[in-house]
Amino acid sequence: LAELADALATAAPGGPQLGFEDARGELPLPVVGRVTARFGDPDPLGRGGAGWSVEAAPFAQVSAPWDGTVRYAGPLGRYGKVVVLEPESGYLIVLAGLGRVDREVGEVVLAGEKLGDLGGPMPSADEFLFEATTDDDLIGRETLYLELRRRGEPLDPAAWFDEQARQG
């Protein structure tokens, strides 16, 4: 049993496990959507943004872009519901604007696992049928705010996230 335990402790399934630093440029967007505001773009108050805004369909699933521990999950003022994921010591991925959070503080999640959903207005039956058959531009959109931090300082997500991955 000791040999088996040692082997499992040093071997990662499917080959060597990459560290979070090695994921630069390869992280998928946490929601199927498109980036509409970038790092440094002014927010409505004219301040430079510390992250990205990603436009997506109402009620779109928000998933973990990397394995990590949930450090915060819940409401946070005007940001709506927020999930803060710690993929590695010193790093935080902040996801704000969710309508529902499905995780609790302390949970360990794997890349791709659901963290929650974006919110949105509930359409009536007639609106649902209309929207389901129209051009995507006519359907309402929601915004997920994405921020990446290292030791408390914001990082430009462009160096980390692959915009083509999970783009809508």
Side-chain angles (χ1 to χ4, degrees):
L1 286 176
E3 289 176 22
L4 175 61
D6 288 341
L8 292 174
T10 58
Q17 178 66 32
L18 298 175
F20 186 66
E21 284 278 339
D22 298 320
R24 285 178 181 258
E26 297 182 14
L27 295 176
L29 289 176
V31 66
V32 175
R34 65 183 175 89
V35 177
T36 57
R38 300 186 175 285
F39 187 84
D41 286 353
D43 67 12
L45 300 176
R47 300 174 298 197
W52 279 358
S53 293
V54 182
E55 207 174 67
F59 306 102
Q61 178 175 307
V62 178
S63 302
W66 190 260
D67 301 351
T69 304
V70 176
R71 293 296 177 208
Y72 182 83
L76 188 64
R78 64 183 175 90
Y79 295 102
K81 293 186 177 138
V82 175
V83 174
V84 177
L85 188 63
E86 182 182 42
E88 188 171 284
S89 180
Y91 287 95
L92 295 174
I93 299 171
V94 180
L95 303 166
L98 283 80
R100 188 180 83 210
V101 172
D102 296 333
R103 298 298 177 164
E104 294 183 19
V105 173
E107 276 189 82
V108 175
V109 296
L110 300 176
E113 286 189 330
K114 183 178 180 180
L115 299 173
D117 297 315
L118 291 180
M122 287 301 289
S124 68
D126 291 339
E127 289 172 325
F128 178 78
L129 292 174
F130 173 74
E131 288 181 355
T133 60
T134 61
D135 186 340
D136 190 48
D137 290 338
L138 298 177
I139 299 172
R141 306 298 280 173
E142 294 294 316
T143 300
L144 176 74
Y145 177 72
L146 162 67
E147 194 171 288
L148 178 63
R149 293 185 161 267
R150 182 173 184 239
R151 293 187 177 90
E153 294 296 319
L155 300 174
D156 187 349
W160 292 83
F161 287 84
D162 176 1
E163 283 187 69
Q164 304 308 309
R166 298 192 67 173
Q167 193 171 47

